Amino acid sequence: MLNPADQAFAVQLTQAVPDLRIDAPEPRYLQEPRGRHQGNGGLLVRPQNTAQVVDVLRTCNAARVGVLPYGGGTGLVGGQIIETGPAPVILSLEKMNAVRAVTGHVLEIEAGATLQDAHDAAETAGRLFPLTIASQGSAQIGGVLGTNAGGVNVLRYGNARELCLGVEAVLADGTVISGLRHLRKDNTGYDLKDVLIGSEGSLGVITAATLRLFPRPAALGTAMMVVPNPAAALALLELAEARMPGCVSAFELIAGQGLAFLNAVGPQVHQPFAQRPKWSVLIEIGLPEGLDPQDALAGLFEAAEGLVSDGVIASSDTQRAQMWGLRESLPEANKRIGSISSHDISLPLPKLAEFIGTARRELAALGDMRINCFGHVGDGNLHFNAFPAEGRNRAEYENLRGRVAQVVYDLVDGFGGSISAEHGIGRVKVRDLERYADPGKLIAMRAIKAALDPNGILNPGAVLAQN
């Protein structure tokens, strides 16, 4: 059993860490983007360096007080919210936001810096940090690594785990892992970095990281193309990669339902086609010096006869920004409509189109609802979300919400996919993980948790169910 982070514990924490500011958490630390969960009070601490994180965790561990590592609060599976049980210490690293060094192809940065800070530091150095998500102005590096975030450029550059060379982290008992290596190869035993990345703060608190930087492509090309169905979109992806191997950075599937949502509730963005297509894709390529991306995309359009019926190639940075603005506004439109159930899933590419058709049919049998299916299909990641029929609201479907998710996840599992592609498990998907994960994997995960956090203070109830 954990103890609450109450005023008596605040006195104890003040004595242990005299220079640490301790506050009551503001409402923003107790909320999550979809508005389905409300956090439990507790104490808010904002350490300014790793030594203070050590003292906080050591004190909390000795007193058996839960610790909720808090990043930018942008997570979508409740990993940053504890609703019930003893109120935790909310540990925010927002004061630890320094860029420590940029050397060659490596960025060393503290965990409280935002993803946008990492982009800006890379750009100042004439480099590229390619991990890109819609919430990058708020999402912090610690949270991005803690959830192993993906985003739009995984197809070319990989997800957070593949972009991280090393981490500095503090374990539950205050032990510091000083792993800020600048090495691509380091084969010296267990890779603790990879254990901590994706653990959602349940095994340790990442305080800093070394991240891979890349040369900036000499030229970018962006286009939207209309396809008749998801199968054609995947055929177009295969054609694009064959014609431009290693140069396709992003390949996003967009359903007409998402465009209809934008028209209905905003945000107001430019839509490039006079007639709303049932399906379209957003393609971005990055080419080396001497190659023209517009010519390359025009050649792709011509070669895709029979797969593509219409297309627009961005001829300026403004047009490129408009296309990406449309894609990045889809989640906000979804939020304004209000989903019955949202699903961040991944599937083997050969089975993706079949899954979409099958899932639509099975959900239609449950009731009248709209499906907005979009996402990073280049790497098999779909956001497959169910919404109320027009004129109805999600409260009317509350009795169906669990059934909708089970239908989707059963199909995902049957198709050899994953119930969480890039959002993590948090608290929302803990029971789903128990249902669909390999039993051996769960045994190993529980053993690791027990070894690194025997008192269970780190993000209690996230990823793994509490006993």
Side-chain angles (χ1 to χ4, degrees), residues 46 100 218 316 326 349 410 417 457:
R46 288 175 279 201
R100 293 184 180 177
S316 66
L326 183 154
L349 284 180
D410 281 352
I457 69 163

Side-chain angles (χ1 to χ4, degrees), residues 14-34:
T14 299
Q15 293 171 345
V17 200
D19 296 330
L20 180 71
R21 179 169 174 175
I22 303 174
D23 298 298
E26 303 164 30
R28 66 188 177 96
Y29 294 97
L30 305 175
Q31 299 165 350
E32 53 85 37
R34 288 179 175 159

Side-chain angles (χ1 to χ4, degrees), residues 160 254 275 339 411:
I254 299 173
Q275 297 292 323
S339 71
L411 284 172

Side-chain angles (χ1 to χ4, degrees), residues 248-288:
V248 181
S249 302
F251 194 91
E252 300 285 306
L253 180 69
I254 299 173
Q257 185 63 73
L259 303 180
F261 284 172
L262 287 170
N263 282 338
V265 298
Q268 295 302 312
V269 294
H270 175 73
Q271 297 197 25
F273 301 110
Q275 297 292 323
R276 185 171 65 240
K278 186 174 181 180
W279 296 99
S280 58
V281 294
L282 173 59
I283 308 169
E284 183 151 289
I285 60 173
L287 299 183

Side-chain angles (χ1 to χ4, degrees), residues 155-180:
L155 175 62
R156 181 169 183 174
Y157 296 102
N159 56 19
R161 177 174 279 112
E162 294 165 278
L163 295 171
C164 182
L165 297 174
V167 299
E168 174 189 88
V170 184
L171 302 183
D173 65 356
T175 299
V176 177
I177 296 175
S178 300
L180 293 177

Side-chain angles (χ1 to χ4, degrees), residues 140-152:
Q140 295 175 8
I141 295 300
V144 165
L145 294 173
T147 57
N148 190 28
V152 299

